[in-house]
Amino acid sequence: MQTVAIDYEKKELITLLVNFLKEIGLTVEFAVEKEPGFLPGIHIRNGGLSIDTEKLLHPGDILHEAGHLATLPYHIRCELDGKLPDTDTHRSAELMTLAWSYAATLHLKIPANVVFHENGYKGGAQNLIDNFEQGRFIGVPMLQYYGLTYDEQNAERLGVQPFPHMVNWVCLK
């Protein structure tokens, strides 16, 4: 019976995450994937995500991969199919994605360890959670550059809430 409860929670979590991604304007489809992706069960297709729920190991990986898409300028995002741009082109991508994912967990009221799970982040998931919870917000300067969120000083000047509040969830530049 334990497996049924876990599967049900997994389905609920996937539904929550996919609904959020669609609300913010990212495209998501469900499909059986024949080729392995960078993360099991998740592929980049036509500027959005394709999810194979049978192969998906960690639902939080959906949010992380969506963070990569959301933090890319639209003209780059809409052209993606198969993989993300080379990190030489978009060096700050991982740091922005970490911050974006953390903000999304708070927004959705889910535990940070859903995204920052023990099987990811080269063993550093808890360290990432600790840093965010202690106000050490890596990735925020570039999110700010793209108009997605603001640090405390700029948020006060602009009359908005600072990170982890997001002003925009997807890059508009």
Side-chain angles (χ1 to χ4, degrees), residues 48-65:
L49 293 181
S50 177
I51 302 168
D52 184 335
T53 59
E54 294 299 315
K55 293 181 179 136
L56 181 67
L57 298 180
H58 302 283
D61 289 346
I62 295 169
L63 211 51
H64 181 83
E65 289 304 293

Side-chain angles (χ1 to χ4, degrees), residues 15-86:
T15 299
L16 174 71
L17 299 178
V18 167
N19 287 344
F20 169 68
L21 299 179
K22 288 179 177 181
E23 285 174 17
I24 65 170
L26 294 178
T27 58
V28 181
E29 64 181 30
F30 293 98
V32 174
E33 298 290 345
K34 293 175 176 70
E35 300 287 322
F38 180 74
L39 292 172
I42 304 174
H43 289 77
I44 307 296
R45 296 277 183 256
N46 303 316
L49 293 181
S50 177
I51 302 168
D52 184 335
T53 59
E54 294 299 315
K55 293 181 179 136
L56 181 67
L57 298 180
H58 302 283
D61 289 346
I62 295 169
L63 211 51
H64 181 83
E65 289 304 293
H68 279 291
L69 294 176
T71 58
L72 284 168
Y74 176 78
H75 71 280
I76 296 173
R77 180 174 63 245
C78 70
E79 298 290 324
L80 294 178
D81 197 47
K83 66 179 187 171
L84 293 166
D86 186 346

Side-chain angles (χ1 to χ4, degrees), residues 1 28 65 86 116 119 134-135 155 158 161 169 172:
M1 284 299 172
V28 181
E65 289 304 293
D86 186 346
F116 302 104
N119 295 319
Q134 295 168 15
L158 295 168
Q161 294 178 350
W169 283 104
L172 304 174

Side-chain angles (χ1 to χ4, degrees), residues 1-156:
M1 284 299 172
Q2 183 71 9
T3 305
V4 174
I6 292 169
D7 288 343
Y8 183 68
E9 290 173 16
K10 179 180 176 182
K11 287 178 185 178
E12 281 186 333
L13 184 55
I14 291 169
T15 299
L16 174 71
L17 299 178
V18 167
N19 287 344
F20 169 68
L21 299 179
K22 288 179 177 181
E23 285 174 17
I24 65 170
L26 294 178
T27 58
V28 181
E29 64 181 30
F30 293 98
V32 174
E33 298 290 345
K34 293 175 176 70
E35 300 287 322
F38 180 74
L39 292 172
I42 304 174
H43 289 77
I44 307 296
R45 296 277 183 256
N46 303 316
L49 293 181
S50 177
I51 302 168
D52 184 335
T53 59
E54 294 299 315
K55 293 181 179 136
L56 181 67
L57 298 180
H58 302 283
D61 289 346
I62 295 169
L63 211 51
H64 181 83
E65 289 304 293
H68 279 291
L69 294 176
T71 58
L72 284 168
Y74 176 78
H75 71 280
I76 296 173
R77 180 174 63 245
C78 70
E79 298 290 324
L80 294 178
D81 197 47
K83 66 179 187 171
L84 293 166
D86 186 346
T87 55
D88 287 339
T89 310
H90 194 56
R91 287 209 174 269
S92 60
E94 191 64 31
L95 297 178
M96 286 194 306
T97 298
L98 294 172
W100 186 96
S101 299
Y102 179 74
T105 65
L106 295 179
H107 176 78
L108 294 169
K109 298 178 174 75
I110 59 175
N113 66 1
V114 168
V115 173
F116 302 104
H117 54 81
E118 62 186 23
N119 295 319
Y121 307 95
K122 299 179 182 174
Q126 188 58 52
N127 186 44
L128 289 168
I129 293 169
D130 292 345
N131 277 305
F132 282 115
E133 288 178 349
Q134 295 168 15
R136 293 188 298 267
F137 299 140
I138 59 171
V140 171
M142 285 304 294
L143 290 177
Q144 184 170 258
Y145 172 80
Y146 285 112
L148 299 175
T149 192
Y150 295 97
D151 61 22
E152 287 189 23
Q153 181 180 1
N154 285 305
E156 184 176 333

